[in-house]
Amino acid sequence: MRLRVEFTTEPFDLDEAPAHAVVARDVVTGAELDAVDVGPFGNTAEGEAEQVLGAVAALLRESLQAGATRVSLQVNVIREAGQGEGEAT
């Protein structure tokens, strides 16, 4: 199964990336994920379920330890071509 994670960390700082945001970025760029897109207001990454779930666990643990007061995330199953509703890969 493939998953897509979208996340943000807070508090925001428009002048300089806070430590928790840098840590979150390092976690996802260092994980074995595909299609990583890191931006100032939101981040996305895709990959196999085990890699995404492992990265999410590390992201939560490490960004909170680095000072994040809130982490918002959404995880979606990516449906592959030819896959019908309710079918798993």
Side-chain angles (χ1 to χ4, degrees), residues 20-46:
H20 59 80
V22 173
V23 166
R25 179 184 64 214
D26 291 347
V27 167
V28 295
T29 58
E32 295 179 18
L33 302 175
D34 308 324
V36 175
D37 182 23
V38 178
F41 299 109
N43 310 283
T44 61
E46 297 178 7

Side-chain angles (χ1 to χ4, degrees), residues 1-87:
M1 174 184 335
R2 289 186 55 80
L3 301 175
R4 175 183 298 120
V5 61
E6 301 174 44
F7 68 92
T8 58
T9 61
E10 295 179 38
F12 294 113
D13 183 339
L14 297 177
D15 296 325
E16 183 178 337
H20 59 80
V22 173
V23 166
R25 179 184 64 214
D26 291 347
V27 167
V28 295
T29 58
E32 295 179 18
L33 302 175
D34 308 324
V36 175
D37 182 23
V38 178
F41 299 109
N43 310 283
T44 61
E46 297 178 7
E48 294 301 318
E50 288 303 312
Q51 283 73 28
V52 171
L53 295 173
V56 166
L59 165 74
L60 291 170
R61 182 177 45 256
E62 295 179 30
S63 63
L64 291 169
Q65 289 174 347
T69 58
R70 179 180 182 150
V71 179
S72 301
L73 64 89
Q74 179 173 303
V75 178
N76 294 303
V77 173
I78 299 172
R79 297 215 183 270
E80 296 183 19
Q83 186 178 8
E85 190 71 29
E87 293 178 38

